[in-house]
Amino acid sequence: MHYSRLRLTSTSTPQQLTMSAFNLDTCARPNILALVPYRCARDDYKDNGTNILLDANENAYGPSIPLAELPPADYLRTLHRYPDPHQVDLKQRFCDFRNVAAPGPVVPPKPLSPENLFLGVGSDEAIDALLRAFCVPGRDRILTCPPTYGMYSVSACVNDVAITKVDLDVSAPDHSFPVRVAAVSAALAADPSIKVVYLCSPGNPTGSLVAPDAVFELLHHPTWNGIVVVDEAYIDFAAPGSSLAPWVTAFPNLVVMQTLSKAFGLAGIRLGAAFTAPPIARLLNSLKAPYSISTPTSHLASLALQRGPAGGLALYTAHVAALTTERERLVRELPKLPRVGRFLGGFEANFLLVEILDESGGPSNGAAEKVYAQLAETQGVVVRFRGREAGCEGCLRITVGTERENRVLLQRLGGLLA
């Protein structure tokens, strides 16, 4: 792609005008020119104000901030100043929230503290920061376990980092998509250029927790020099005590990422956290842009993590309980609809992965894509097609909504499938 541009001076004549030498195709980095960007849930169907949006795994009950009790926004008076670059008080609130019992077999030696924290613009900033901290462009690699969150691969491509893929066990008898620990361990032993392993727990789109024993085994790999990243964006929809965040005080090479976008209903403020050992946290905090956590974001996040009647934790607890109840309802009711097949994966997130069957009774991408489009275009209900991911033939991913939203989903999906 060659763009022409005229160079003009006050004395230029038509004969003296020259063409610019700029050529985007040779000036831009080749890996960026070849980049396939992350496809967002709203790329296909926008929010028109009336759609029922069950596509992006947002919290349908809204933000975990008691709006009626919201105090005056005193921070508005200080918006002419840069925000706190260190956010120690906010980090302490994250730690207070996560200093709870952790899964075995690890007993954390001490509680989490602010020195264990990196805060970023959503978990995506942490994903990218880890790549920049540990992977040399054009030389090193990451390892992912498809089907999984697409931003690991997109960020790797942006940073010119290659990807080794070891699929989850898509043929497990219980359809739970477990990590194939032996295969991952073998890949790490065979290729020392792999510096980061990204595991999604609960998985997206699988909804399954990664077994703590699997993470424990990878952290004790006898020859591999790298870090294990556990992405816990949906952990609050799993059983209490499922988070591995407290483990980071026991391991030098574990990172546990979390976000306020899901269970806390704060996708609009874009705040993510990475719990890790202090040396890694210092690396990540050193390379990030200054003042990246805005004053409004910090203020609202602090309210969401606050206990007591003016805080958001009580509302967070109520919303998670309501979504868990609605998830159980969909697990009961969806299989009653014609041409709805098996649930794949687990039930530890705020979404479900379910097969759509064709007329012959088998899962079908054609049938699922047709239902996906018809639901959005004629019924005003937007879900997500996931049939092209490993082990997800014919699957829709359906975010759990409110009672009313789920009732409408069941009615309109049932009408399409009848």
Side-chain angles (χ1 to χ4, degrees), residues 56-64 237 260-267 315-316 319-320 323 350 399-402 405:
N57 301 338
E58 297 152 324
N59 188 324
Y61 286 95
S64 295
F237 301 106
L260 296 188
S261 296
K262 306 302 180 182
F264 280 89
L266 291 171
L315 198 54
Y316 148 87
H319 287 174
V320 169
L323 286 167
N350 67 332
T399 303
V400 178
T402 64
E405 289 173 334

Side-chain angles (χ1 to χ4, degrees), residues 373-381 412 416:
Q374 288 180 328
L375 262 181
E377 295 169 10
T378 69
Q379 304 298 316
V381 179
R412 295 180 184 178
L416 286 177

Side-chain angles (χ1 to χ4, degrees), residues 169 171-176:
D169 187 350
S171 60
D174 60 356
H175 315 295
S176 63

